[in-house]
Amino acid sequence: NAGVTQTPKFRILKIGQSMTLQCTQDMNHNYMYWYRQDPGMGLKLIYYSVGAGITDKGEVPNGYNVSRSTTEDFPLRLELAAPSQTSVYFCASSYSPPAAAGFYEQYFGPGTRLTVT
Amino acid sequence: AQKVTQAQTEISVVEKEDVTLDCVYETRDTTYYLFWYKQPPSGELVFLIRRNSFDEQNEISGRYSWNFQKSTSSFNFTITASQVVDSAVYFCALSEDAGTASKLTFGTGTRLQVTL
């Protein structure tokens, strides 16, 4: 049971380039999330998904896109990378029945450190 | 809007000292959930504890204990007899119960340094 895996671990992008951060979970969790963590700050929610085919914006969605075609995968796409997107990106997943969605803890991947120069 | 405040940016203690990490939250929801996560130097986030707004019982797990007080909107975390392995950044987080996904609002974290 690998839990939540993310690739790549590190990446350097030039301004204007695009890339996809991969996230896979093998726990059959229905909810998945993308966060970014800037230095000295807590995590901020970018996008989340309540199930395959359903995604929604979080607190800081601008400059990002997501899709969820399967339960296991939740890739995050950066279009036209900007220096402001330099951050550590965490994917997470959780399972809960919809009526108690807030109750269950999230399991986090190891993170992807992205630098845009 | 929800908010979590961890006023202590960094704490340094000597091994075996007790240390308390403070967490104050704001929410208009009557049902909510509070969490503590640990982020060791390796970078991943590790779940420590969850509390719902209707359960004000304190909890102890080994050297860790948590004090939840709704009257002061606080959910403080105490490590007894700290060890070097406790060195990490600790995050307090709040989740609303909106019937949708668990959207966590994180504090800015407290970096705990335990030295010999």
Side-chain angles (χ1 to χ4, degrees):
Chain A
N1 208 350
V4 180
T5 57
Q6 293 181 237
T7 57
K9 284 187 170 42
F10 304 94
R11 183 73 186 267
I12 298 174
L13 278 183
K14 293 192 187 310
I15 294 172
Q17 287 185 323
S18 300
M19 76 163 294
T20 299
L21 280 65
Q22 301 292 345
C23 174
T24 300
Q25 54 93 7
D26 63 0
M27 298 174 281
N28 203 31
H29 285 172
N30 48 349
Y31 296 121
M32 294 187 75
Y33 314 82
W34 274 106
Y35 293 89
R36 59 177 287 171
Q37 182 182 26
D38 298 325
M41 303 295 289
L43 282 70
K44 291 191 186 295
L45 183 64
I46 305 171
Y47 270 96
Y48 66 97
S49 168
V50 301
I54 307 170
T55 63
D56 206 349
K57 296 177 181 179
E59 185 181 354
V60 290
N62 291 345
Y64 307 94
N65 275 304
V66 293
S67 60
R68 182 120 179 251
S69 55
T70 66
T71 300
E72 295 78 20
D73 300 306
F74 190 40
L76 177 71
R77 178 105 179 132
L78 279 71
E79 306 280 3
L80 300 174
S84 61
Q85 293 177 304
T86 294
S87 190
V88 180
Y89 291 84
F90 288 96
C91 180
S93 70
S94 67
Y95 175 78
S96 73
F103 179 71
Y104 292 88
E105 68 271 21
Q106 295 179 21
Y107 293 83
F108 285 80
T112 294
R113 187 175 295 274
L114 176 68
T115 302
V116 182
T117 61
Chain B
Q2 300 182 122
K3 186 177 178 183
V4 176
T5 301
Q6 295 179 256
Q8 305 151 307
T9 305
E10 191 159 344
I11 301 175
S12 291
V13 298
V14 176
E15 203 175 40
K16 296 186 183 152
E17 283 185 14
D18 298 346
V19 58
T20 295
L21 310 182
D22 297 332
C23 173
V24 174
Y25 62 91
E26 295 175 31
T27 179
R28 282 181 282 193
D29 292 340
T30 55
T31 302
Y32 53 88
Y33 308 96
L34 295 161
F35 300 80
W36 276 94
Y37 283 85
K38 174 182 180 180
Q39 186 177 40
S42 52
E44 77 280 13
L45 276 89
V46 178
F47 166 74
L48 294 178
I49 192 171
R50 166 188 58 233
R51 260 290 173 267
N52 74 53
S53 53
F54 300 110
D55 182 3
E56 286 195 71
Q57 279 193 340
N58 292 331
E59 179 152 341
I60 298 174
S61 176
R63 297 183 297 107
Y64 295 170
S65 62
W66 291 268
N67 180 261
F68 176 31
Q69 292 196 336
K70 284 180 78 170
S71 60
T72 56
S73 297
S74 64
F75 186 42
N76 296 337
F77 173 29
T78 297
I79 301 175
T80 303
S82 60
Q83 299 177 0
V84 172
V85 293
D86 295 326
S87 297
V89 180
Y90 290 87
F91 290 98
C92 181
L94 171 67
S95 173
E96 62 187 2
D97 181 20
T100 59
S102 168
K103 292 185 279 187
L104 289 172
T105 298
F106 282 84
T108 51
T110 297
R111 181 178 299 277
L112 175 64
Q113 186 74 36
V114 183
T115 56
L116 294 170

